């Protein structure tokens, strides 16, 4: 029991919000001036709904990073972030994850790119700290060989099985086939057919 | 003919075996990439109100040590904490605290309330040093050899039993010979 207890850091004040840490990150730029119409005077329900919408608007700011000034670099940063697995929310990439650690890692990815690292070097930087585990597409090596080859090996085995099955079927059909007619039998058959 | 009966059984046994093994795997525990490597280069100021900060140099002075990642926001750390307080009383091994992404006052208050077992503390407010250590949750505990090689990483709460059965025997080996053949 005790061995399972482990906690990830709480959202930092700047990353704010009480959103579940493993919720998908909302995308897009913060909306500084939510241009929503004022609630109409009469419609109580409609008004309340619009008021709710207004309250919800600041939530778009959650999980939004400071993008890099160069759009090409920003695009690279996002692609790299998509290839790195979040350590807290293990089925998400750090690009998708709302976890504070993912946010820190995204910042590191941007920093490394600004420092002039190649995509591979940025990945290596994170792999050096967290291992191959963080790569959503693991590299081919002794430990991951079964992972990469396994499906093809199974497919091959299944293929062999099917081939063996059909070959047996063919030999069985051959074995059950009656022996060819003798000349005498053939002559009798011809006679019967021609009648 | 016999193969026809045995083969499906064999395949079933294989799959069942793999699934059974999967039941006891802990996919949340990611093996550290830093085992056998030197501790990362870092230098941290101490937790508020304390004197001794933590840096690479402190971990490479020849004496094996423990580095414990803790934070005041980390509930499991409270469960684990008495183990360190008790170990600190024996003075057998230095325990260093890496205070991860904490508020300075909160960390300081936490140590005052629950006791301070740490020889040195490093306040990693931004969390950057913890990333260099491959930390992804708290608590985590590293066994560091005297030359600064990371020997083991324990993810989540360290219990008295783990300390007695695994961690302390390894530290004693390291202290005596600088080497160990024990596993984590």
């Amino acid at each position: 029991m005790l061995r399972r207890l482990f906690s990830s850091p709480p959202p930092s004040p700047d990353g704010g919000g009480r959103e579940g840490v493993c919720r998908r990150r909302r995308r897009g730029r913060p909306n500084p001036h939510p241009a929503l119409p004022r609630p109409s005077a009469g419609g109580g329900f409609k008004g309340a709904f619009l008021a709710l919408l207004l309250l919800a608007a600041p939530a778009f700011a959650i999980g939004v990073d400071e993008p890099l000034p160069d759009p090409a670099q920003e695009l690279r940063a996002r692609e790299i972030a998509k290839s790195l697995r979040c350590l807290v929310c293990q089925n998400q990439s750090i690009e998708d994850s709302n976890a504070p650690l993912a946010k820190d890692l995204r910042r590191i990815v941007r920093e490394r790119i600004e420092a002039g690292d190649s995509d591979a070097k940025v990945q290596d930087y994170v792999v050096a700290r967290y291992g191959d585990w963080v790569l959503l597409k693991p590299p081919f090596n002794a430990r991951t060989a079964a992972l990469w080859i396994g499906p093809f090996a199974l497919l091959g085995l299944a293929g062999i099985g099917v081939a063996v099955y059909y070959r047996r079927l063919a030999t069985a059909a051959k074995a059950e086939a009656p022996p060819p007619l003798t000349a005498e039998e053939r002559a009798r058959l011809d006679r019967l057919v021609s009648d | 003919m016999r193969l026809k009966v045995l083969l499906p059984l064999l395949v079933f046994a294989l799959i069942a075996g793999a699934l059974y093994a999967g039941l006891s795997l802990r996919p949340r525990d990611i093996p550290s990439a830093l085992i056998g490597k030197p501790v990362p280069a870092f230098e941290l100021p101490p937790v508020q109100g304390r004197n001794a900060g933590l840096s690479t140099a402190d971990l490479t002075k020849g004496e094996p040590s423990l580095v414990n990642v803790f934070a005041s926001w980390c509930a499991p750390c409270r469960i684990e904490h008495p183990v360190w307080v008790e170990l600190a009383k024996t003075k057998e091994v230095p325990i260093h605290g890496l205070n991860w992404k904490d508020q300075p006052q909160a960390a300081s208050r936490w140590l005052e309330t629950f006791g301070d077992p740490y020889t040195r503390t490093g306040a990693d407010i931004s969390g950057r040093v913890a990333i260099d250590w491959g930390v992804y949750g708290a608590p985590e505990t590293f066994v560091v050899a005297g030359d600064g090689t990371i020997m083991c990483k324990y993810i989540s709460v360290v219990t008295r039993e783990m300390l007695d059965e695994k961690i302390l025997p390894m530290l004693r080996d390291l202290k005596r010979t600088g080497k160990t053949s024990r596993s984590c």
Side-chain angles (χ1 to χ4, degrees):
Chain A
M1 261 305 275
L2 281 181
R3 290 171 62 94
R4 286 225 147 272
L5 291 170
F6 193 45
S7 64
S8 63
S12 51
D14 57 310
R18 293 190 164 268
E19 288 214 32
V21 146
C22 287
R23 281 234 343 235
R24 258 182 109 81
R25 211 152 67 88
R26 291 169 199 243
R27 295 295 168 63
R29 309 274 295 140
N31 186 358
H33 307 294
L36 282 169
R38 287 170 163 278
S40 60
F45 190 78
K46 202 171 145 199
F49 180 69
L50 284 174
L52 251 170
L53 269 184
L54 261 173
L55 279 175
F60 285 107
I62 287 171
V64 174
D65 300 332
E66 188 69 38
L68 292 172
D70 178 359
Q73 285 191 340
E74 175 64 20
L75 197 71
R76 276 178 57 210
R78 293 201 177 198
E79 284 308 311
I80 294 171
K82 275 184 205 158
S83 76
L84 294 173
R85 188 161 151 180
C86 175
L87 292 114
V88 181
C89 307
Q90 304 189 344
N91 286 323
Q92 288 179 324
S93 71
I94 61 168
E95 176 68 9
D96 285 332
S97 178
N98 220 359
L101 186 63
K103 189 187 162 110
D104 290 351
L105 287 170
R106 286 196 299 273
R107 191 175 299 149
I108 285 178
V109 166
R110 291 199 166 87
E111 271 175 28
R112 299 313 311 164
I113 285 182
E114 270 198 313
D117 280 7
S118 67
D119 290 7
K121 263 182 98 177
V122 178
Q123 278 193 343
D124 287 348
Y125 183 93
V126 182
V127 168
R129 284 151 182 80
Y130 290 102
D132 286 342
W133 193 92
V134 290
L135 297 173
L136 280 168
K137 191 176 173 188
F140 184 86
N141 58 33
R143 281 192 61 193
T144 57
L147 189 69
W148 282 104
I149 303 174
F152 299 107
L154 279 179
L155 189 71
L157 276 177
I160 292 171
V162 169
V164 166
Y165 175 76
Y166 276 107
R167 181 165 307 165
R168 279 214 191 133
L169 219 59
T171 33
K174 208 178 274 174
E176 277 168 29
L181 298 177
T182 58
E184 198 178 311
E185 280 167 340
R186 188 166 290 280
R188 189 170 161 230
L189 182 68
D190 282 347
R191 211 171 339 109
L192 284 170
V193 170
S194 62
D195 270 354
Chain B
M1 216 40 215
R2 170 164 286 180
L3 192 74
K4 233 179 200 167
V5 183
L6 277 181
L7 201 67
L9 267 177
L10 206 75
V11 170
F12 171 78
L14 263 171
I15 294 174
L19 292 178
Y20 183 76
L23 284 178
S24 54
L25 287 183
R26 297 187 295 155
R28 261 200 78 99
D29 294 4
I30 303 154
S32 175
L34 296 170
I35 304 294
K37 304 229 171 83
V39 292
F42 74 103
E43 192 165 2
L44 286 173
V47 169
Q48 195 180 65
R50 260 134 263 275
N51 302 322
L54 189 62
S55 69
T56 311
D58 299 318
L59 298 172
T60 49
K61 283 179 177 157
E63 189 181 10
S65 56
L66 288 170
V67 175
N68 176 234
V69 180
F70 76 103
S72 67
W73 46 258
C74 157
C77 296
R78 270 180 75 165
I79 300 172
E80 181 188 63
H81 200 66
V83 172
W84 302 129
V85 173
E86 211 177 301
L87 177 64
K89 281 183 196 149
T90 68
K91 290 193 166 38
E92 188 170 348
V93 56
I95 312 162
H96 302 304
L98 182 62
N99 184 223
W100 185 33
K101 293 191 99 165
D102 216 340
Q103 312 273 348
Q105 296 94 336
S108 167
R109 205 174 329 123
W110 200 79
L111 289 178
E112 273 149 30
T113 313
F114 302 112
D116 182 357
Y118 301 118
T119 311
R120 291 175 165 277
T121 52
D124 183 20
I125 293 167
S126 71
R128 277 305 288 265
V129 170
I131 286 177
D132 286 345
W133 278 80
V135 170
Y136 69 97
E140 281 185 9
T141 304
F142 295 86
V143 178
V144 181
D147 62 354
T149 307
I150 295 175
M151 303 303 292
C152 283
K153 164 165 139 170
Y154 292 93
I155 289 161
S156 102
V157 172
V158 166
T159 59
R160 187 73 230 178
E161 293 74 53
M162 285 162 73
L163 201 63
D164 288 337
E165 285 162 22
K166 293 271 183 184
I167 301 176
L168 285 178
M170 179 182 266
L171 282 165
R172 283 176 196 135
D173 277 2
L174 289 170
K175 214 169 194 172
R176 223 178 22 248
T177 62
K179 281 185 297 210
T180 183
S181 52
R182 290 173 202 273
S183 65
C184 295

